[in-house]
Amino acid sequence: MSKNLILTIVGHQGYIRHENEKDYALQNDILFGAISETYLPLLDLFHRLEDENVPFKLAMVFSPSLCSLLSDDLIKEQYVRWLEKRIAFGEKEVARLSGDKALCANAKSCLAKAKKDLLDFTQTYNLNLLKEFSYFADKGSLELLATCGTYAFLPHYGDMTEILNAQVEVGLYSHRHYFGSNPDGFYLPFMGYTPGIETVLRSYGFRYTIVDIRSLLFSDTLPEHGIFAPVRCDVESHNSLKQATLALFAQDADTPDDMCGEDGFSSNEVYKNQAKDIAFELPMQTLLDSAFLEEGMARIPSHFCYWKNDGDEPSVYDEKAAYAQAERDAEAFCVSKKAKLDEAASLMDKNAPVLLCVIDAKSLGQDWSEGVVWLESVIRKTAASDVTLAVPAPLVGNQFSLQEILPYPGAAQGNSYGEDLLDSTNGWMIRYTRKMCERMIDLSDRFPNETGLKVRLLDLGAKELMLAQSGEWAKMIHDGVFPEYATKRFKESIKAFMIVFDALGSNTVSTEWLTRLERAHTIFPWMNFRMFSPKK
């Protein structure tokens, strides 16, 4: 009996795009750091495995806002300048540390990484990372899942079918736009399940989704095989959806803590201390003299980190020792998941057990520098064992043969119900987005056949509503990660939508304002406000 391990990597990113690089350097670093520390290393790993004929299968999610940014010419130009600035800074660091062998070795390693990133991004991948991921999807090594247009937490809009439809439809259209395929699976942002979403997903052709373990285990019908086999959630029978059903996989609850929990792998003292960046240690004048910073800029990460995780006075990072530890942690992960699958197999008569592990892409490089090294080791060890790396779609099989359950509402966020996305820090946001939703539904129904300038206004309003719904803003405010910026961005979308609403009511609009905002928010250039129309 085969034992199936599904590794699902979830990449998402708030829509942070600014022509002004100086004032938004810290915010831009979120994406640029992700490209250098996660997405380029993943592609490097995939090509290395391909060259060595090591088989692998992974599931991956790219949020539409992330896809939009990765394909944006402005972002590409800014990222190249971001790398060039770090390369110039690295050259000075190597010279500065020439008298300290250990520190200089780390500086040289960081410099070599920045140079390789620039070469790979501009020449090897020709500025098109999504095309490379599509290549591995076409080969069958990756299964790409769609997700919501702006990674909205759907339970907040569970009573608004038009909003659920719009978020799913924009996500599906985005996937087709960037990857040229129709995905089988849909990833619910934050795994936020709300009753009724299964009908929406099935109506757009999706065959399966992933839910939090509690949504499965707390259902009225106890799953016969726990989380080790997919189940189904029957869709309300009407029209073409008669006898339709949606398959559900539940995530392994231990994986997030295994990797980046308080006592997870990434906390090991031998790993690189990502928070101790040399750009926050050097005198400000040194950074100005090296042209890394301009006068008046706040300090920003250089991604030159030389120390380990071992306390307030950490010792110098040893890459060889860290990689050896990543190998041991990969072994521990594989042993742990194999033990679960072995025990499940002993209790399952016919079905091959399935264990699905969801991995936040930030864990692979950004939050854990050695994360991709760890992933490579997991893939290689699995290839040499009786555990099979699998992807979800082929394991769904005949959906009607799966056990039927009604999932319990929940999420893989907060204490399993998304509490941190609607609490005392960010709860004020929901009343604005829900009012915007009501107005957008009304506008789309009132102006179904408009053309010209009004269509541009309506499309912009739809776009600003979706940006305001982004779960990233609420999460950033709750987590204290640039909360002022997230608040500002949210309020800008609210204000823009109000201007659109008032302009449609008064039949006047500033074309200069409209054009300026369209230029600033290039996401979803194919946006059609009619996606918010009530389905008839």
Side-chain angles (χ1 to χ4, degrees):
M1 180 185 291
S2 63
K3 305 173 186 110
N4 299 293
L5 179 65
I6 301 174
L7 301 181
T8 304
I9 301 170
V10 181
H12 55 96
Q13 167 80 34
Y15 189 69
I16 299 175
R17 179 188 187 274
H18 298 283
E19 294 184 18
N20 184 342
E21 296 176 63
K22 179 179 177 180
D23 291 344
Y24 293 98
L26 273 170
Q27 289 79 15
N28 287 338
D29 186 77
I30 297 175
L31 174 64
F32 299 155
I35 296 173
S36 280
E37 296 171 350
T38 298
Y39 300 113
L40 285 174
L42 280 175
L43 286 174
D44 188 46
L45 166 60
F46 296 162
H47 280 290
R48 187 162 59 251
L49 294 172
E50 178 186 43
D51 292 343
E52 298 177 22
N53 294 315
V54 177
F56 70 95
K57 285 185 179 293
L58 300 170
M60 288 196 74
V61 179
F62 291 91
S63 69
S65 52
L66 173 61
C67 291
S68 176
L69 292 169
L70 290 178
S71 60
D72 192 304
D73 289 339
L74 173 67
I75 296 295
K76 293 175 183 179
E77 293 170 6
Q78 290 178 342
Y79 177 62
V80 169
R81 288 194 292 271
W82 185 88
L83 285 173
E84 290 172 342
K85 184 176 288 189
R86 275 146 188 81
I87 290 171
F89 175 77
E91 299 282 6
K92 290 181 170 58
E93 276 295 281
V94 169
R96 182 180 72 85
L97 298 171
S98 59
D100 188 318
K101 184 177 179 181
L103 285 176
C104 190
N106 277 312
K108 287 180 178 179
S109 177
C110 294
L111 175 59
K113 172 73 168 64
K115 288 181 175 180
K116 184 178 187 306
D117 289 344
L118 182 60
L119 179 66
D120 286 347
F121 187 72
T122 57
Q123 297 185 35
T124 306
Y125 304 136
N126 196 28
L127 309 178
N128 194 340
L129 301 189
L130 294 180
K131 181 181 178 181
E132 289 299 311
F133 285 109
S134 292
Y135 165 76
F136 287 104
D138 293 341
K139 284 194 61 181
S141 297
L142 296 181
E143 181 175 307
L144 301 178
L145 288 75
T147 190
C148 286
T150 51
Y151 215 70
F153 187 61
L154 296 184
H156 289 169
Y157 311 97
D159 60 330
M160 295 180 162
T161 304
E162 294 85 359
I163 300 305
L164 301 181
N165 284 333
Q167 280 284 351
V168 172
E169 188 169 339
V170 171
L172 174 59
Y173 198 103
S174 175
H175 191 96
R176 291 172 176 168
H177 178 80
Y178 292 111
F179 299 111
S181 64
N182 286 318
D184 284 311
F186 188 91
Y187 185 81
L188 298 170
F190 309 103
M191 278 181 253
Y193 170 79
T194 184
I197 189 62
E198 62 274 1
T199 303
V200 174
L201 295 182
R202 200 65 189 90
S203 70
Y204 284 100
F206 294 103
R207 297 177 59 224
Y208 73 87
T209 190
I210 302 169
V211 295
D212 183 60
I213 183 173
R214 295 165 188 81
S215 291
L216 212 63
L217 299 185
F218 289 178
S219 64
D220 291 339
T221 305
L222 189 66
E224 295 173 0
H225 302 302
I227 66 170
F228 295 97
V231 295
R232 67 186 171 98
C233 177
D234 274 2
V235 171
E236 180 184 350
S237 296
H238 58 83
N239 301 332
S240 62
L241 293 180
K242 191 174 182 180
Q243 296 185 341
T245 189
L246 183 76
L248 307 172
F249 291 84
Q251 72 152 341
D252 172 54
D254 295 331
T255 298
D257 287 337
D258 287 343
M259 297 188 64
C260 290
E262 187 174 340
D263 297 315
F265 300 141
S266 64
S267 64
N268 193 294
E269 65 178 20
V270 75
Y271 290 135
K272 183 179 288 188
N273 186 341
Q274 299 279 73
K276 195 172 174 61
D277 190 299
I278 193 61
F280 294 95
E281 305 286 328
L282 291 173
M284 189 67 170
Q285 193 57 49
T286 302
L287 299 174
L288 293 172
D289 292 343
S290 66
F292 181 70
L293 294 182
E294 298 176 35
E295 196 69 48
M297 284 181 66
R299 289 178 184 263
I300 57 175
S302 66
H303 296 267
F304 279 70
C305 305
Y306 310 143
W307 296 276
K308 298 192 294 186
N309 270 336
D310 55 354
D312 294 333
E313 296 295 333
S315 50
V316 178
Y317 174 69
D318 183 338
E319 184 177 85
K320 185 176 180 181
Y323 284 14
Q325 183 61 45
E327 182 92 7
R328 290 191 290 271
D329 286 338
E331 177 68 23
F333 179 86
C334 291
V335 168
S336 169
K337 304 314 172 190
K338 183 179 184 303
K340 285 188 177 185
L341 287 165
D342 286 343
E343 185 172 359
S346 69
L347 300 172
M348 297 170 68
D349 296 331
K350 299 177 181 179
N351 295 34
V354 177
L355 185 61
L356 188 146
C357 303
V358 175
I359 300 171
D360 192 326
K362 288 179 62 181
S363 302
L364 303 176
Q366 295 157 267
D367 293 342
W368 180 16
S369 179
E370 297 77 11
V372 175
V373 177
W374 170 88
L375 177 64
E376 178 174 0
S377 186
V378 168
I379 292 171
R380 292 182 184 276
K381 290 178 185 300
T382 306
S385 74
D386 64 342
V387 173
T388 302
L389 278 183
V391 291
L395 301 178
V396 172
N398 178 5
Q399 290 170 297
F400 289 98
S401 67
L402 304 177
Q403 181 187 2
E404 179 186 352
I405 73 162
L406 181 62
Y408 191 76
Q413 190 68 31
N415 293 320
S416 304
Y417 302 101
E419 297 91 336
D420 54 348
L421 300 175
L422 185 63
D423 64 7
S424 60
T425 65
N426 51 36
W428 58 273
M429 304 168 78
I430 190 68
R431 65 179 181 270
Y432 291 101
T433 55
R434 287 184 62 87
K435 178 55 72 173
M436 289 168 71
C437 289
E438 292 171 1
R439 289 182 171 179
M440 192 66 233
I441 294 169
D442 178 59
L443 289 172
S444 64
D445 201 35
R446 278 171 37 197
F447 299 97
N449 301 314
E450 289 296 338
T451 58
L453 197 59
K454 281 190 176 179
V455 169
R456 288 174 60 190
L457 271 174
L458 287 161
D459 288 345
L460 179 64
K463 193 183 298 187
E464 294 302 325
L465 166 57
M466 298 206 76
L467 288 174
Q469 287 180 312
S470 173
E472 296 295 335
W473 307 141
K475 192 171 188 309
M476 288 169 71
I477 291 171
H478 176 274
D479 294 348
V481 179
F482 306 127
E484 297 86 0
Y485 173 81
T487 300
K488 176 176 176 287
R489 285 296 310 278
F490 177 79
K491 289 183 176 180
E492 286 175 350
S493 289
I494 297 295
K495 181 180 178 181
F497 184 88
M498 290 173 63
I499 293 174
V500 167
F501 186 78
D502 290 343
L504 288 166
S506 62
N507 209 28
T508 58
V509 65
S510 166
T511 54
E512 181 183 354
W513 172 86
L514 177 60
T515 303
R516 185 172 67 250
L517 203 56
E518 286 174 333
R519 178 183 172 186
H521 294 168
T522 59
I523 189 172
F524 310 142
W526 35 262
M527 172 62 78
N528 188 327
F529 73 93
R530 297 175 183 86
M531 292 178 177
F532 288 88
S533 299
K535 300 295 187 283
K536 308 204 173 163

